[in-house]
């Protein structure tokens, strides 16, 4: 296995009168390494999304009202948001190999505790979300390893693993839950996560360059300082919040109408709908290539239009589940195209701060996911599926208007 050892690109946080240090150019990211990164990201992010098709079973076992069961997804996303701020920036400070392996081991411990009782369910899933940000450490690592002309494609490849993990998580958790109960979903995942920790520790490149010396509070403060310094980060972070709010408006409550009459689908059958979004994973690498050629704004505008339009067939799923499938394909493809574009553009801005950039950016992703999950289950409880679709389409329209008003920043 031929893996290059490269400088991480981090620079010192200390003030200096001279020009900033520039890291030597990276040696490149091999296809094999990118594939391993993608698999690891998929396994990690799946832990966050296993709960979506299991919400009704969790609500039944722990006596949680259907209108409130979205809190299970929300606490996971809150934990994820905290991890983005408090853990991901450490990738600019410490050896990412040890940081990644350590997160995976602790995540396995939290997964084992998920099924104990209602209190442990929420607390453990919050910890699972907190540690699942290993995905963003890996994405920043891939961006460091890739050469500039292929960075968008590399980010797209690794993000494809993230997308597949999100989509296959629903299918896999549905199958396991139907055969062995929902608790076994998390026990099996704990074992796979431990295996992943060992593999990553063995294959990840070492960092030979000296890491910058700074205090942890100053490291966290530097994340916040990136927002006033980088207008592009502000714009793309808000877009991330809106697109992932729309994403969770669909997926968080979807199990509720599909498991009820007249559909009365099993967990396995509901999980199969996640496979419809594989088109998003297939399109992610293509999107990165377009960004490398300077087409990021074109991709963003077209994708936001597609995201808003997707809610029309989704709204008529009562007529045919094929309309739901078409809407899922449209929505997932659009959201992941914008997501890959966002990351590719912001990574090009500050090579010395990629872990902090992606950490700050993904905080908005987590906020949007949490708000979308809880708002959609409330909308479903109050107005049914039509209320969910109006909410999703409204968020899509807001994202499109925001992008149009901030075009000058992208240019």
């Amino acid at each position: 296995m031929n893996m290059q050892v490269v400088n991480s690109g981090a620079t010192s946080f200390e003030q200096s009168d001279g020009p900033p240090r520039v890291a030597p150019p990276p040696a490149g990211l091999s296809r094999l390494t990118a594939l391993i990164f993608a698999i690891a990201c998929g396994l990690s992010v799946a832990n966050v999304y296993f709960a979506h098709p299991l919400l009704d079973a969790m609500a039944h076992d722990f006596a949680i009202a259907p209108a409130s069961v979205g809190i299970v997804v929300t606490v996971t996303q809150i934990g994820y948001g905290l991890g983005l701020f408090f853990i991901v920036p450490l990738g600019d400070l410490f050896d990412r190999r040890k940081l990644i392996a350590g997160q995976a081991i602790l995540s396995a411990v939290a997964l084992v505790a998920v099924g104990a009782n209602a209190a442990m369910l929420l607390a453990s899933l919050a910890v699972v979300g907190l540690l699942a940000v290993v995905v963003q450490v890996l994405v920043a690592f891939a961006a460091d390893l890739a050469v500039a002309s292929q960075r968008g494609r590399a980010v797209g490849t690794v993000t494809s693993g993230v997308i597949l993990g999100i989509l296959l998580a629903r299918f896999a958790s549905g199958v396991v839950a139907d055969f062995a109960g929902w608790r076994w979903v998390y026990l099996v995942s704990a074992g796979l996560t431990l295996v992943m920790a060992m593999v990553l520790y063995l294959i990840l490149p070492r960092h030979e360059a000296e890491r910058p010396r700074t205090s942890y509070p100053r490291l966290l403060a530097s994340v916040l300082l990136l927002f006033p310094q980088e207008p592009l980060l502000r714009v793309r972070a808000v877009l991330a919040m809106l697109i992932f709010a729309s994403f969770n408006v669909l997926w968080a409550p979807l199990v509720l109408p599909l498991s009820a009459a007249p559909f009365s689908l099993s967990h396995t059958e509901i999980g199969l709908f996640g496979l419809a979004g594989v088109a998003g994973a297939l399109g992610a690498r293509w999107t990165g290539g377009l960004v490398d050629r300077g087409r990021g704004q074109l991709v963003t505008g077209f994708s936001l239009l597609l995201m808003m339009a997707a809610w029309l067939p989704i709204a008529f799923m009562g007529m045919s589940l094929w309309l739901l499938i078409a809407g899922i394909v449209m929505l997932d493809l659009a959201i992941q195209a914008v997501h890959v574009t966002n990351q590719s553009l912001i990574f090009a801005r500050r090579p010395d701060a990629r872990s902090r950039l992606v950490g700050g950016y993904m905080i908005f992703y987590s906020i949007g996911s949490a708000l979308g999950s809880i708002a959609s289950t409330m909308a479903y409880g109050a107005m049914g599926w039509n209320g969910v679709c109006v909410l999703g389409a409204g968020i899509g329209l807001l994202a499109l208007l925001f992008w149009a008003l901030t075009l000058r920043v992208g240019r």
Side-chain angles (χ1 to χ4, degrees):
M1 188 178 299
N2 181 25
M3 296 194 183
Q4 302 291 339
V5 177
V6 300
N7 190 304
S8 67
T11 61
S12 172
F13 295 93
E14 303 294 337
Q15 297 292 330
S16 173
D17 294 331
R21 292 184 297 157
V22 179
L29 181 70
S30 71
R31 291 184 178 180
L32 179 58
T33 308
L35 176 61
I36 294 171
F37 276 41
I39 293 172
C41 285
L43 288 172
S44 299
V45 78
N47 292 329
V48 177
Y49 290 92
F50 281 140
H52 281 186
L54 309 177
L55 292 179
D56 60 333
M58 292 176 174
H60 178 268
D61 283 1
F62 296 131
I64 303 172
S68 303
V69 73
I71 192 66
V72 171
V73 178
T74 300
V75 297
T76 310
Q77 293 295 343
I78 290 172
Y80 197 86
L82 293 173
L84 290 169
F85 183 70
F86 290 104
I87 295 178
V88 173
L90 293 173
D92 286 336
L93 187 62
F94 298 117
D95 184 350
R96 288 192 182 124
R97 185 178 71 140
K98 294 179 181 178
L99 182 63
I100 289 167
Q103 285 178 253
I105 292 170
L106 293 174
S107 182
V109 175
L111 288 165
V112 171
V114 165
N117 52 54
M120 286 299 295
L121 171 73
L122 297 179
S124 298
L125 286 178
V127 174
V128 168
L130 181 77
L131 297 170
V133 296
V134 68
V135 170
Q136 306 311 320
V137 181
L138 284 164
V139 171
F141 204 169
D144 272 357
L145 293 171
V147 296
S149 62
Q150 298 177 349
R151 185 168 295 118
R153 186 173 295 272
V155 171
T157 299
V158 177
T159 303
S160 296
V162 178
I163 303 164
L164 287 172
I166 293 172
L167 299 174
L168 295 177
R170 298 180 176 89
F171 173 67
S173 64
V175 171
V176 175
D178 281 341
F179 280 95
W182 68 266
R183 288 173 174 83
W184 274 98
V185 173
Y186 293 96
L187 293 176
V188 171
S189 180
L192 293 175
T193 302
L194 279 177
V195 173
M196 182 188 72
M198 292 186 289
V199 172
L200 290 173
Y201 190 77
L202 290 174
I203 65 92
L204 287 178
R206 295 177 181 271
H207 289 285
E208 293 186 344
E210 183 181 353
R211 312 299 292 174
R213 295 182 178 180
T214 188
S215 67
Y216 185 57
R218 288 186 63 190
L219 179 74
L220 298 182
S222 69
V223 177
L224 300 178
L225 290 174
L226 287 172
F227 285 94
Q229 294 170 359
E230 300 293 342
L232 182 63
L233 174 61
R234 296 196 297 270
V235 169
R236 292 291 161 170
V238 172
L239 284 176
M241 180 178 67
L242 294 172
I243 65 174
F244 282 102
S246 182
F247 182 85
N248 279 277
V249 164
L250 170 67
W251 288 108
L254 185 59
V255 64
L256 301 176
L258 292 181
S259 61
F263 302 113
S264 301
L265 301 182
S266 68
H267 290 118
T268 300
E269 291 169 327
I270 293 171
L272 284 171
F273 284 91
L275 301 181
V278 169
L282 298 178
R285 196 165 187 265
W286 161 78
T287 299
L290 287 176
V291 176
D292 288 335
R293 295 195 292 272
R295 306 288 178 83
Q297 288 289 17
L298 179 64
V299 170
T300 303
F302 176 79
S303 299
L304 291 175
L305 281 170
L306 184 64
M307 185 179 80
M308 186 173 61
W311 286 99
L312 183 61
I314 291 172
F316 289 98
M317 76 171 187
M319 297 175 56
S320 171
L321 289 179
W322 287 109
L323 290 173
L324 174 62
I325 291 171
I328 289 173
V329 171
M330 294 166 64
L331 188 71
D332 280 4
L333 176 59
I335 288 171
Q336 300 308 331
V338 177
H339 184 44
V340 170
T341 302
N342 288 347
Q343 292 181 99
S344 300
L345 292 176
I346 64 173
F347 282 147
R349 296 292 299 169
R350 291 283 297 274
D352 61 302
R354 288 192 176 118
S355 286
R356 286 168 285 150
L357 280 170
V358 75
Y361 164 81
M362 291 296 293
I363 288 172
F364 283 75
Y365 150 92
S366 188
I367 291 171
S369 296
L371 293 177
S373 297
I374 196 66
S376 62
T377 51
M378 292 174 65
Y380 182 79
M383 296 175 286
W385 190 246
N386 287 337
V388 171
C389 294
V390 170
L391 177 62
I395 294 172
L397 177 60
L398 180 61
L400 184 63
L401 292 174
F402 177 79
W403 168 77
L405 291 172
T406 57
L407 271 174
R408 63 179 182 81
V409 176
R411 296 194 184 103

